[in-house]
């Protein structure tokens, strides 16, 4: 890293820090499945592993 200081993230965006793509796809069930698959495309998914 260049050592450049980054601007402070607004508090309302902090909830998205640990989410793949920061909630870009919305909060529907389909969006959550897509985010999970995108987060690790090399994993073999079964319906039970995508259920929350």
């Amino acid at each position: 890293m260049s050592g450049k200081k980054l601007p402070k993230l607004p508090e309302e965006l902090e909830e998205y820090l640990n989410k793949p793509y920061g909630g870009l796809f919305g909060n529907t069930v389909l969006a959550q499945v897509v985010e999970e698959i995108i987060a690790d495309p090399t994993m073999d998914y079964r319906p039970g592993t995508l259920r929350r």
Side-chain angles (χ1 to χ4, degrees):
M1 200 146 181
S2 66
K4 182 170 57 170
K5 283 193 98 168
L6 298 175
K8 183 163 173 39
L9 186 67
E11 287 183 23
E12 63 268 9
L13 298 178
E14 288 180 2
E15 67 178 287
Y16 299 112
L17 284 176
N18 294 321
K19 291 184 177 180
Y21 299 94
L24 178 67
F25 298 112
N27 196 26
T28 65
V29 173
L30 180 58
Q32 291 174 1
V33 170
V34 169
E35 286 179 357
E36 188 69 30
I37 292 171
I38 290 172
D40 188 4
T42 61
M43 185 174 169
D44 291 330
Y45 290 98
R46 303 282 183 261
T49 59
L50 296 173
R51 194 171 300 146
R52 291 183 189 216

